Amino acid sequence: MAERSTAIGAQLWGMFSNFEDQRVDVGDAEIFLRRGGDGPPLLLLHGYPQTHAAWHEIAPDLAADYTVVAPDLRGYGDSVGPDDPATADYANRVMAEDLVAVMDELGYEEYMVAGHDRGARVGYRFALDHPDRVRKLAVLDIVPTLETAEAMDYRYAKAMYHWLFLAQPHPVPERLIGHEPTFYVDHLIENWAAYPARLADEAVAEYHRCFEQESVVRASCEDYRAGLSVDLTHDRATREAGESIDVPVLAVWGGASGTVSFDPLAVWERWATDVRGRGLDCGHFVMEEAPEETLAELRDFL
């Protein structure tokens, strides 16, 4: 596994001042996480182009009632993935298996899961593949990957071009992003957030730091390559088998995000037996743009 810089800024440490950091070896990856609080275990999974820092606004409040575990997904942030990854190494199924191993190492057999963006995709695959582990699932600002791919007409493809760009063969997107990684992260925030200024400077600086590492850019591209290949295969198999998520599901989305192209609750009702949720006054980055509303939804649900 590749070496990874861990120059986490002092300001970010302040966001998680009552959390401890830990690394867990899961075989072909090493997962970095922060853990804090006391109570039932709650696993928080971040999205793209972020790290566990995306939860900084609400994780400390959740830690008042739960044992919060906030990892970086394999290859993202300060987690490390395979040195020369294949796309299959970044399938949602594989990343969910990482987290089973992490939670086993921490001593948790059952837990609640909340995921945003890519983390929510890992989360729903987690609930499908490991129904004995997940007690409740919150999915923030997504619909299932297969639903997104099948609905992608030219209008949606233009708005969501990054799905197609990042899935291009290595090393094309990596080279282009690597030329100005900070610019690319800022471009995504400006385009996906309804209120970009609400993202804390400290958190954005953390996203910048991580995307300046070639291995993070590579891992994130492999994640999207998996999203338009092996993840679709797994989703189709789930649908063809008539399988569903049988634990309670909370779906929350940004009212100004691309997710409103769908009727999110109606879509999730095709994949889960018990669904609730609503849109919030924000864009894609719901935990950072609308932290109080997101926290309230999670508290009510959990």
Side-chain angles (χ1 to χ4, degrees):
M1 292 179 288
E3 293 294 325
R4 178 62 52 79
S5 166
T6 57
I8 300 170
Q11 291 174 311
L12 185 64
W13 274 102
M15 296 175 177
F16 291 89
S17 59
N18 294 321
F19 285 63
E20 62 180 11
D21 68 292
Q22 189 169 343
R23 293 183 175 276
V24 178
D25 186 340
V26 296
D28 66 343
E30 183 182 74
I31 305 301
F32 173 83
L33 63 90
R34 294 196 188 280
R35 176 168 55 160
D38 186 27
L42 170 61
L43 182 61
L44 302 180
L45 306 178
H46 68 86
Y48 177 90
Q50 297 159 291
T51 71
H52 74 280
W55 295 98
H56 73 91
E57 291 277 8
I58 65 175
D61 290 298
L62 289 169
D65 299 301
Y66 304 95
T67 299
V68 172
V69 179
D72 292 336
L73 298 174
R74 67 160 50 195
Y76 284 84
D78 289 306
S79 289
V80 180
D83 290 334
D84 186 18
T87 294
D89 293 329
Y90 282 87
N92 291 333
R93 172 165 286 164
V94 172
M95 291 196 278
E97 289 168 354
D98 286 347
L99 299 169
V100 171
V102 165
M103 297 302 272
D104 279 351
E105 177 70 18
L106 298 178
Y108 306 127
E109 295 184 359
E110 296 181 348
Y111 27 86
M112 294 166 284
V113 178
H116 172 246
D117 186 72
R118 309 307 292 183
R121 300 187 189 285
V122 175
Y124 81 78
R125 177 48 55 189
F126 200 146
L128 286 164
D129 288 356
H130 305 279
D132 56 326
R133 302 286 188 148
V134 179
R135 293 173 54 198
K136 291 185 178 182
L137 173 67
V139 288
L140 278 57
D141 209 54
I142 68 156
V143 295
T145 305
L146 182 59
E147 300 275 354
T148 301
E150 290 181 339
M152 195 175 288
D153 61 13
Y154 74 92
R155 295 181 184 86
Y156 196 67
K158 181 180 179 182
M160 302 289 283
Y161 83 93
H162 67 287
W163 277 63
L164 307 177
F165 167 58
L166 297 171
Q168 295 305 303
H170 173 74
V172 174
E174 288 92 339
R175 289 274 184 91
L176 296 173
I177 294 169
H179 182 64
E180 288 197 59
T182 295
F183 166 82
Y184 191 68
V185 170
D186 289 344
H187 155 73
L188 297 177
I189 291 171
E190 289 292 329
N191 279 271
W192 295 352
Y195 305 104
R198 293 184 182 176
L199 275 70
D201 291 343
E202 299 91 337
V204 174
E206 181 69 356
Y207 309 149
H208 288 168
R209 177 186 71 85
C210 294
F211 257 70
E212 287 169 354
Q213 300 179 62
E214 291 182 8
S215 60
V216 172
V217 176
R218 175 68 186 274
S220 64
C221 290
E222 295 297 353
D223 183 9
Y224 274 88
R225 290 179 185 121
L228 289 182
S229 58
V230 63
D231 291 336
L232 297 181
T233 299
H234 295 157
D235 276 7
R236 288 192 188 98
T238 292
R239 186 168 66 184
E240 290 169 3
E243 298 171 350
S244 63
I245 299 167
D246 292 327
V247 298
V249 173
L250 171 71
V252 173
W253 60 94
S257 81
T259 306
V260 297
S261 301
F262 302 86
D263 178 345
L265 290 184
V267 173
W268 278 109
E269 285 169 354
R270 298 198 286 266
W271 291 78
T273 57
D274 179 359
V275 182
R276 69 206 74 179
R278 68 183 183 94
L280 305 181
D281 178 19
C282 62
H284 175 61
F285 302 102
V286 291
M287 308 95 72
E288 295 172 280
E289 294 184 66
E292 292 182 2
E293 295 88 342
T294 304
L295 179 62
E297 292 294 326
L298 286 173
R299 281 193 181 280
D300 287 348
F301 175 66
L302 299 173

